Amino acid sequence: MNKNFLKSILLSGLILFPAMLAAQEKDGGVAFKRWENTLEAGLNTNFSESSPYAVADFSIGLKYWFNDRWGFGFDLTGVAPYGFLDRSKSFSSVIDLGLAGAFRIISKPRSRLDLNVGVGSAVLAYSKSDYNLYCDCALRLGFLHDRAARVNPYVSLGVSYRHPYRTDLFNDKVMMSVGIGMWLK
């Protein structure tokens, strides 16, 4: 199941990228198209009483913005070992690959608010029990945003869901996430 899901993600990317390269929106006679990278460090926790755990992750993203509102691309995320807070047990780190879409809610001269939605799967893990499917949704707020700058910081607040393929280690798979990152042009 994991390999088929990964193949469908990569196939979707191969189909959609040519469409992204061809998509242009005229804005005052100038074609709008832009690639944008993201770097983010985040902390996720499930706040569960039965099996509390925390997860740190570090992600690199690449998105193509079709116009001033819609973007689509890939996220590559390195997940640090799961740390259970009620027992001395942790699991190996995982590398995830997924598709991500973004919608810019607010775009003002000094602020930017994006809704980022992603889905993907682990592509590299230490053991078979660590492979998982993930879905996440996050709001990214850039309160010092400058459109002309090459680097813009943001804070992120969201919800993440992880579903292991082969084990059921987690009673509560839904996590709240908070992160800091930057948009890079």
Side-chain angles (χ1 to χ4, degrees), residues 139-164:
L139 287 172
R140 294 177 174 170
L141 174 64
F143 49 87
L144 299 173
H145 187 71
D146 181 6
R147 290 182 188 182
R150 293 177 88 35
V151 177
N152 283 297
Y154 67 82
V155 293
S156 174
L157 181 64
V159 177
S160 181
Y161 173 81
R162 288 193 174 272
H163 182 77

CSV table of all heavy atoms in Angstrom, one decimal, residues 139-164:
chain,number,residue,atom,x,y,z
A,139,LEU,N,-2.0,27.2,9.1
A,139,LEU,CA,-2.1,28.6,8.7
A,139,LEU,C,-0.7,29.2,8.9
A,139,LEU,O,-0.1,29.0,10.0
A,139,LEU,CB,-3.1,29.4,9.6
A,139,LEU,CG,-4.5,29.1,9.3
A,139,LEU,CD1,-5.4,29.8,10.4
A,139,LEU,CD2,-4.9,29.7,8.0
A,140,ARG,N,-0.2,29.9,7.9
A,140,ARG,CA,1.2,30.5,8.0
A,140,ARG,C,1.0,32.0,7.9
A,140,ARG,O,0.5,32.5,6.9
A,140,ARG,CB,2.1,30.0,6.9
A,140,ARG,CG,2.4,28.5,7.0
A,140,ARG,CD,3.2,28.0,5.8
A,140,ARG,NE,3.6,26.6,6.0
A,140,ARG,CZ,4.2,25.9,5.1
A,140,ARG,NH1,4.4,26.4,3.9
A,140,ARG,NH2,4.5,24.7,5.4
A,141,LEU,N,1.4,32.7,9.0
A,141,LEU,CA,1.3,34.1,9.1
A,141,LEU,C,2.6,34.8,9.0
A,141,LEU,O,3.5,34.5,9.8
A,141,LEU,CB,0.6,34.5,10.4
A,141,LEU,CG,0.5,36.0,10.7
A,141,LEU,CD1,-0.3,36.7,9.7
A,141,LEU,CD2,0.0,36.2,12.1
A,142,GLY,N,2.8,35.6,8.0
A,142,GLY,CA,4.0,36.4,7.8
A,142,GLY,C,3.6,37.9,8.2
A,142,GLY,O,3.0,38.6,7.4
A,143,PHE,N,4.0,38.3,9.4
A,143,PHE,CA,3.6,39.6,9.9
A,143,PHE,C,4.6,40.7,9.6
A,143,PHE,O,4.3,41.9,9.7
A,143,PHE,CB,3.4,39.5,11.4
A,143,PHE,CG,4.5,38.9,12.2
A,143,PHE,CD1,5.6,39.7,12.6
A,143,PHE,CD2,4.5,37.6,12.5
A,143,PHE,CE1,6.6,39.1,13.3
A,143,PHE,CE2,5.5,36.9,13.1
A,143,PHE,CZ,6.6,37.7,13.6
A,144,LEU,N,5.8,40.3,9.1
A,144,LEU,CA,6.8,41.3,8.6
A,144,LEU,C,7.0,41.1,7.1
A,144,LEU,O,8.1,41.3,6.6
A,144,LEU,CB,8.1,41.1,9.4
A,144,LEU,CG,8.0,41.3,10.9
A,144,LEU,CD1,9.4,41.0,11.5
A,144,LEU,CD2,7.7,42.8,11.2
A,145,HIS,N,6.0,40.7,6.4
A,145,HIS,CA,6.2,40.3,5.0
A,145,HIS,C,6.5,41.5,4.1
A,145,HIS,O,5.9,42.6,4.2
A,145,HIS,CB,4.9,39.7,4.5
A,145,HIS,CG,5.0,39.1,3.1
A,145,HIS,ND1,5.7,38.0,2.9
A,145,HIS,CD2,4.5,39.5,1.9
A,145,HIS,CE1,5.7,37.7,1.6
A,145,HIS,NE2,4.9,38.6,1.0
A,146,ASP,N,7.5,41.3,3.3
A,146,ASP,CA,7.9,42.3,2.3
A,146,ASP,C,8.0,41.6,0.9
A,146,ASP,O,8.8,40.7,0.7
A,146,ASP,CB,9.2,42.9,2.7
A,146,ASP,CG,9.7,44.0,1.7
A,146,ASP,OD1,8.9,44.4,0.8
A,146,ASP,OD2,10.8,44.5,1.9
A,147,ARG,N,7.1,42.0,0.0
A,147,ARG,CA,7.1,41.3,-1.3
A,147,ARG,C,8.4,41.4,-2.1
A,147,ARG,O,8.7,40.5,-2.9
A,147,ARG,CB,5.9,41.9,-2.2
A,147,ARG,CG,4.6,41.6,-1.6
A,147,ARG,CD,3.5,42.2,-2.5
A,147,ARG,NE,2.2,42.0,-1.9
A,147,ARG,CZ,1.1,42.4,-2.4
A,147,ARG,NH1,1.1,42.9,-3.6
A,147,ARG,NH2,0.0,42.2,-1.8
A,148,ALA,N,9.1,42.4,-1.9
A,148,ALA,CA,10.4,42.6,-2.6
A,148,ALA,C,11.5,41.8,-2.0
A,148,ALA,O,12.5,41.6,-2.6
A,148,ALA,CB,10.8,44.1,-2.7
A,149,ALA,N,11.4,41.4,-0.7
A,149,ALA,CA,12.5,40.7,0.0
A,149,ALA,C,12.6,39.3,-0.5
A,149,ALA,O,11.6,38.6,-0.9
A,149,ALA,CB,12.2,40.7,1.5
A,150,ARG,N,13.8,38.8,-0.5
A,150,ARG,CA,14.0,37.4,-0.9
A,150,ARG,C,13.7,36.4,0.2
A,150,ARG,O,13.5,35.2,0.0
A,150,ARG,CB,15.5,37.2,-1.4
A,150,ARG,CG,15.7,38.0,-2.7
A,150,ARG,CD,17.1,38.0,-3.2
A,150,ARG,NE,17.6,37.0,-4.0
A,150,ARG,CZ,17.1,36.3,-5.0
A,150,ARG,NH1,15.8,36.5,-5.3
A,150,ARG,NH2,17.7,35.4,-5.8
A,151,VAL,N,13.8,36.8,1.5
A,151,VAL,CA,13.5,36.0,2.7
A,151,VAL,C,12.5,36.7,3.5
A,151,VAL,O,12.6,37.9,3.9
A,151,VAL,CB,14.8,35.8,3.5
A,151,VAL,CG1,14.5,34.9,4.7
A,151,VAL,CG2,15.9,35.1,2.7
A,152,ASN,N,11.4,35.9,3.9
A,152,ASN,CA,10.3,36.5,4.7
A,152,ASN,C,10.0,35.4,5.8
A,152,ASN,O,9.7,34.3,5.5
A,152,ASN,CB,9.1,36.8,3.9
A,152,ASN,CG,9.2,38.0,3.1
A,152,ASN,OD1,9.3,39.1,3.7
A,152,ASN,ND2,9.2,37.9,1.8
A,153,PRO,N,10.1,35.8,7.1
A,153,PRO,CA,9.8,34.9,8.1
A,153,PRO,C,8.3,34.7,8.3
A,153,PRO,O,7.5,35.6,8.0
A,153,PRO,CB,10.4,35.5,9.4
A,153,PRO,CG,10.3,37.0,9.1
A,153,PRO,CD,10.5,37.1,7.6
A,154,TYR,N,7.9,33.6,8.9
A,154,TYR,CA,6.5,33.3,9.2
A,154,TYR,C,6.4,32.4,10.5
A,154,TYR,O,7.3,31.8,10.8
A,154,TYR,CB,5.7,32.7,8.1
A,154,TYR,CG,6.1,31.3,7.7
A,154,TYR,CD1,5.6,30.2,8.3
A,154,TYR,CD2,7.0,31.1,6.6
A,154,TYR,CE1,5.9,28.9,7.9
A,154,TYR,CE2,7.3,29.9,6.2
A,154,TYR,CZ,6.8,28.8,6.9
A,154,TYR,OH,7.1,27.5,6.5
A,155,VAL,N,5.2,32.4,11.1
A,155,VAL,CA,4.9,31.5,12.1
A,155,VAL,C,3.7,30.6,11.6
A,155,VAL,O,2.9,31.1,10.8
A,155,VAL,CB,4.5,32.2,13.5
A,155,VAL,CG1,5.7,32.9,14.1
A,155,VAL,CG2,3.3,33.1,13.3
A,156,SER,N,3.7,29.4,12.1
A,156,SER,CA,2.7,28.4,11.6
A,156,SER,C,2.0,27.8,12.8
A,156,SER,O,2.5,27.5,13.8
A,156,SER,CB,3.5,27.3,10.8
A,156,SER,OG,2.6,26.3,10.4
A,157,LEU,N,0.6,27.6,12.6
A,157,LEU,CA,-0.2,27.0,13.6
A,157,LEU,C,-1.1,26.0,12.8
A,157,LEU,O,-1.8,26.4,11.8
A,157,LEU,CB,-1.0,28.0,14.3
A,157,LEU,CG,-1.9,27.4,15.4
A,157,LEU,CD1,-1.1,26.8,16.5
A,157,LEU,CD2,-2.8,28.6,16.0
A,158,GLY,N,-1.2,24.7,13.2
A,158,GLY,CA,-2.0,23.8,12.4
A,158,GLY,C,-2.4,22.6,13.1
A,158,GLY,O,-2.1,22.4,14.3
A,159,VAL,N,-2.9,21.6,12.3
A,159,VAL,CA,-3.4,20.3,12.8
A,159,VAL,C,-2.7,19.3,11.9
A,159,VAL,O,-2.7,19.5,10.6
A,159,VAL,CB,-4.9,20.2,12.7
A,159,VAL,CG1,-5.3,18.8,13.1
A,159,VAL,CG2,-5.6,21.3,13.6
A,160,SER,N,-2.2,18.2,12.5
A,160,SER,CA,-1.6,17.1,11.7
A,160,SER,C,-2.2,15.8,12.1
A,160,SER,O,-2.5,15.6,13.3
A,160,SER,CB,-0.1,17.2,11.9
A,160,SER,OG,0.6,16.2,11.2
A,161,TYR,N,-2.2,14.9,11.1
A,161,TYR,CA,-2.7,13.5,11.4
A,161,TYR,C,-1.7,12.6,10.8
A,161,TYR,O,-1.3,12.7,9.7
A,161,TYR,CB,-4.1,13.3,10.8
A,161,TYR,CG,-4.6,11.9,10.8
A,161,TYR,CD1,-5.2,11.4,12.0
A,161,TYR,CD2,-4.4,11.0,9.8
A,161,TYR,CE1,-5.6,10.1,12.1
A,161,TYR,CE2,-4.9,9.7,9.8
A,161,TYR,CZ,-5.5,9.3,11.0
A,161,TYR,OH,-5.9,8.0,11.1
A,162,ARG,N,-1.3,11.6,11.7
A,162,ARG,CA,-0.4,10.5,11.2
A,162,ARG,C,-1.0,9.2,11.4
A,162,ARG,O,-1.5,8.9,12.5
A,162,ARG,CB,1.0,10.6,12.0
A,162,ARG,CG,1.8,11.8,11.5
A,162,ARG,CD,3.2,11.7,12.0
A,162,ARG,NE,3.9,12.8,11.4
A,162,ARG,CZ,4.5,12.8,10.3
A,162,ARG,NH1,4.5,11.7,9.5
A,162,ARG,NH2,5.2,13.8,9.8
A,163,HIS,N,-1.0,8.4,10.4
A,163,HIS,CA,-1.5,7.0,10.5
A,163,HIS,C,-0.5,6.0,10.2
A,163,HIS,O,-0.1,5.9,9.0
A,163,HIS,CB,-2.7,6.9,9.6
A,163,HIS,CG,-3.4,5.5,9.8
A,163,HIS,ND1,-4.2,5.2,10.8
A,163,HIS,CD2,-3.3,4.4,9.0
A,163,HIS,CE1,-4.6,3.9,10.7
A,163,HIS,NE2,-4.0,3.5,9.6
A,164,PRO,N,0.1,5.2,11.1
A,164,PRO,CA,1.0,4.2,10.8
A,164,PRO,C,0.4,3.1,10.0
A,164,PRO,O,-0.7,2.7,10.3
A,164,PRO,CB,1.5,3.7,12.2
A,164,PRO,CG,0.8,4.5,13.2
A,164,PRO,CD,-0.2,5.3,12.6
